[in-house]
C-alpha cells in the first residue's frame, strides 16, 4: 500500500490530489511494468495511450508567450511520480513528450506551436531534445555541432549523442553552434524533422534500463531558418529554460521509483519467513525500512517545495538542484536496500526491484549529473552570500 498522505501537503491543491488519483487508476488499467521485445513499438503505443487518455496536455503548453511558464510544475511532478511507480517506460514516454517539445512550448513561434504541439498532446507526434554531444554533455559551451547560415537556410554539420527518443522521434529540437558569440552565447535552436536530407540516426544505443536512445549525424543538413526556435544565439537560454521546467520532474520520477521499491520491500519483509519469524520482525530490517521511509519523505519535501516555488514564479535553480540531487541519490539508496531485503530474489532478472535498480541509475546522470547539481547549489549559495 503506497502512502498518499503527501497529497494533502500544503504545497499541493485539491486538484493536484484528484489528478494523481485519477492517473493512478488509469495507469493500473493501461500500464504494465513488463516490456516486450519491440521497445520502439511499445514506446509509441504508450505515447498514443497517454495522448488518448488526455494526460499529455499537462506536459505541453499550447498557447501564449512564454507558455512554458504556465506548465503546472506540481501536476507534472505528480504525474511523473505516479507513472514511474507503475512503469519506468511509461514515465519516460510522458516526460519526453514534454521535454522534447519544451523548447517550442517556451520559445516557439505561433506557427511552430500550432504545427507541432497539438500532435504532441494527442500522442500522434513524438519529439526529442537534442543537446548532448559525445564531447559536450554538462559542458554545453563545448558544443561542436555547427550551423552555417546560407541564405534562408542553416546548413548543419556534426553529431549529437545520448538523445532520448532518438530513432523514433518525428522531430528534434536541435541545438547547434551558429557563432553569434563565443561559448554558450553562440548557440541557436532549430526544429529538424525526421527524413530531412543530411540527417541520419547513426547508432542506436542500448542502456541498462531500455528506452529509445540514439546517436545522430548531420551532414550538410539544410534546414529553413523559419524552423529556428527563438532568436539567433539564444539557444542556450532556451535549453536552460526548458531544463528548468523539467529538472524537478526528474526528481519526481526518482521519487516514484523509490516509493515502489519501499512498497515491494515491505511486502517482502512481512511475508518472508526466516528463523521462525518474518524478516520484518528483525530490528535490522525495521531500521532499514525506517531509513527508506525517511529518505523518501525528505526527498518528497524538496521535490514539491521546488515545484511549488516554480509555480509561484520564483527562481528555482537552487531548489530544483537540491530536489534532483536528493531524490535521485536517495532513490538509489532506497532501491538498493529493497534489493538487499529481497536477497537472491532481488537480483533475479524480471523481479520488480531488479528492474528498479536498473531504472534509477541513469537519473543520477541525465539532465545534470549529481556532481553538477552540487556545483549549482554551491554557486547559488556563494552568489547569495556575496
Amino acid at each position: 500500500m503506497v502512502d498518499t498522505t503527501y497529497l494533502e501537503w500544503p504545497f499541493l491543491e485539491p486538484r493536484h490530489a484528484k489528478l494523481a488519483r485519477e492517473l493512478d487508476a488509469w495507469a493500473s488499467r493501461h500500464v504494465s511494468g513488463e516490456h516486450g521485445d519491440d521497445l520502439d513499438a511499445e514506446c509509441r503505443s504508450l505515447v498514443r495511450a497517454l495522448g488518448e487518455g488526455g494526460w499529455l496536455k499537462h506536459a505541453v503548453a499550447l498557447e501564449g508567450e512564454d507558455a512554458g511558464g504556465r506548465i503546472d510544475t506540481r501536476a507534472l511532478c505528480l504525474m511523473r511520480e505516479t507513472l514511474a511507480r507503475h512503469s519506468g517506460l511509461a514515465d519516460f514516454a510522458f516526460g519526453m513528450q514534454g521535454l522534447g517539445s519544451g523548447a517550442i512550448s517556451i520559445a516557439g513561434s505561433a506557427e511552430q506551436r500550432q504545427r507541432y504541439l497539438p500532435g504532441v498532446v494527442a500522442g500522434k507526434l513524438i519529439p526529442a531534445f537534442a543537446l548532448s554531444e559525445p564531447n559536450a554533455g554538462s559542458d554545453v559551451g563545448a558544443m561542436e555541432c555547427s550551423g552555417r547560415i546560407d541564405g534562408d537556410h542553416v546548413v548543419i554539420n556534426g553529431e549529437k549523442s545520448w538523445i532520448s527518443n532518438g530513432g523514433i522521434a518525428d522531430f528534434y529540437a536541435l541545438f547547434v553552434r551558429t557563432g553569434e558569440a563565443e561559448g554558450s552565447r553562440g548557440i541557436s535552436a532549430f526544429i529538424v524533422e525526421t527524413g530531412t536530407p543530411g540527417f541520419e540516426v547513426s547508432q542506436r544505443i542500448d542502456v541498462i534500463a531500455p528506452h529509445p536512445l540514439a546517436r545522430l549525424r548531420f551532414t550538410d543538413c539544410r534546414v529553413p531558418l523559419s524552423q529556428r526556435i527563438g532568436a539567433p544565439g539564444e539557444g542556450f537560454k532556451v535549453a536552460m529554460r526548458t531544463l528548468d521546467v523539467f529538472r524537478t520532474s526528474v526528481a519526481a520520477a526518482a521519487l516514484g521509483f523509490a516509493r515502489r521499491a519501499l512498497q515491494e520491500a515491505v511486502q517482502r519483509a512481512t511475508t518472508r519467513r526466516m528463523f521462525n519469524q518474518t524478516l520484518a520482525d528483525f530490528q535490522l530490517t525495521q531500521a532499514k525500512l525506517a531509513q527508506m521511509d525517511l529518505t523518501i519523505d525528505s526527498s518528497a519535501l524538496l521535490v514539491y517545495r521546488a515545484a511549488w516555488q516554480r509555480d509561484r514564479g520564483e527562481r528555482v535553480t537552487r531548489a530544483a538542484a537540491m530536489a534532483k540531487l536528493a531524490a535521485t541519490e536517495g532513490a538509489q539508496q532506497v532501491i538498493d536496500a529493497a534489493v538487499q531485503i529481497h536477497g537472491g530474489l532481488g537480483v533475479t532478472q524480471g523481479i520488480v526491484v531488479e528492474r528498479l535498480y536498473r531504472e534509477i541509475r541513469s537519473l543520477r546522470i541525465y539532465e545534470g549529473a549529481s556532481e553538477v547539481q552540487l556545483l549549482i547549489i554551491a554557486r547559488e549559495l556563494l552568489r547569495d552570500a556575496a
Side-chain angles (χ1 to χ4, degrees):
M1 189 71 178
V2 177
D3 177 18
T4 60
T5 55
Y6 69 98
L7 294 175
E8 309 303 323
W9 286 355
F11 292 129
L12 304 172
E13 300 173 19
R15 62 187 175 88
H16 292 121
K18 181 174 182 289
L19 176 66
R21 292 187 175 106
E22 289 175 347
L23 179 58
D24 187 43
W26 179 88
S28 296
R29 298 191 303 271
H30 295 88
V31 173
S32 169
E34 302 297 324
H35 304 316
D37 294 331
D38 193 338
L39 183 67
D40 290 358
E42 188 172 353
C43 199
R44 289 190 180 98
S45 177
L46 281 166
V47 170
R48 283 195 302 271
L50 288 163
E52 291 168 359
W55 304 112
L56 295 175
K57 65 184 179 184
H58 296 282
V60 177
L62 286 170
E63 299 177 356
E65 197 171 323
D66 194 22
R70 286 194 293 278
I71 291 178
D72 186 331
T73 317
R74 289 169 292 175
L76 185 69
C77 288
L78 281 168
M79 296 180 75
R80 290 202 64 177
E81 177 185 334
T82 301
L83 288 170
R85 188 158 42 80
H86 286 272
S87 161
L89 192 61
D91 163 66
F92 168 84
F94 175 81
M96 280 308 305
Q97 288 297 103
L99 178 63
S101 64
I104 302 175
S105 283
I106 289 170
S109 67
E111 189 277 331
Q112 289 169 348
R113 284 197 287 265
Q114 182 57 42
R115 181 174 180 180
Y116 295 103
L117 297 185
V120 173
V121 170
K124 296 178 180 179
L125 289 178
I126 295 178
F129 183 78
L131 180 67
S132 297
E133 297 183 4
N135 297 314
S138 298
D139 183 9
V140 177
M143 183 179 296
E144 298 174 352
C145 188
S146 66
R148 174 178 55 84
I149 305 302
D150 181 20
D152 58 357
H153 284 72
V154 60
V155 181
I156 300 170
N157 284 280
E159 290 188 319
K160 294 291 176 179
S161 192
W162 314 111
I163 306 305
S164 292
N165 274 351
I168 70 168
D170 297 292
F171 66 90
Y172 297 76
L174 176 70
F175 298 85
V176 300
R177 181 169 298 287
T178 44
E180 288 81 5
E182 294 294 323
S184 60
R185 293 179 295 170
I187 294 170
S188 299
F190 295 89
I191 304 168
V192 180
E193 296 184 359
T194 297
T196 302
F199 165 44
E200 64 173 319
V201 176
S202 60
Q203 179 188 4
R204 295 300 297 272
I205 302 172
D206 295 325
V207 288
I208 57 176
H211 69 261
L213 194 72
R215 188 165 181 160
L216 315 177
R217 180 179 295 128
F218 301 87
T219 307
D220 292 331
C221 179
R222 294 178 63 85
V223 177
L225 288 179
S226 60
Q227 293 289 83
R228 182 168 51 210
I229 306 171
E234 295 291 315
F236 178 77
K237 291 182 179 179
V238 172
M240 293 305 104
R241 288 171 62 196
T242 303
L243 292 173
D244 188 41
V245 175
F246 291 94
R247 180 167 285 151
T248 305
S249 78
V250 177
L255 197 55
F257 291 148
R259 289 196 196 278
R260 180 62 184 271
L262 179 58
Q263 179 184 0
E264 296 292 321
V266 169
Q267 196 279 332
R268 176 68 173 175
T270 54
T271 57
R272 175 73 162 96
R273 295 199 63 80
M274 185 180 233
F275 303 117
N276 297 318
Q277 57 185 338
T278 67
L279 275 177
D281 291 321
F282 290 94
Q283 288 185 339
L284 282 173
T285 306
Q286 293 170 19
K288 194 178 292 289
L289 292 172
Q291 185 60 57
M292 294 163 74
D293 195 29
L294 173 62
T295 299
I296 289 171
D297 251 24
S298 301
S299 299
L301 285 165
L302 287 171
V303 169
Y304 290 108
R305 179 192 69 167
W308 171 74
Q309 286 179 308
R310 188 178 185 283
D311 285 343
R312 284 164 51 92
E314 298 178 20
R315 188 172 183 271
V316 294
T317 303
R318 177 171 170 268
M322 283 186 167
K324 184 180 186 294
L325 178 65
T328 56
E329 292 291 333
Q332 182 81 61
Q333 296 166 15
V334 168
I335 293 167
D336 185 74
V339 170
Q340 195 73 13
I341 287 172
H342 277 71
L345 188 64
V347 292
T348 306
Q349 190 170 1
I351 296 298
V352 171
V353 293
E354 180 270 340
R355 171 172 55 81
L356 291 169
Y357 196 84
R358 288 183 286 109
E359 292 279 7
I360 189 56
R361 191 58 187 84
S362 62
L363 271 66
R364 296 168 60 203
I365 297 173
Y366 72 68
E367 291 195 39
S370 293
E371 293 76 9
V372 173
Q373 303 311 316
L374 285 169
L375 292 174
I376 291 171
I377 294 166
R379 182 192 67 196
E380 293 294 304
L381 176 66
L382 293 171
R383 191 189 71 166
D384 291 346

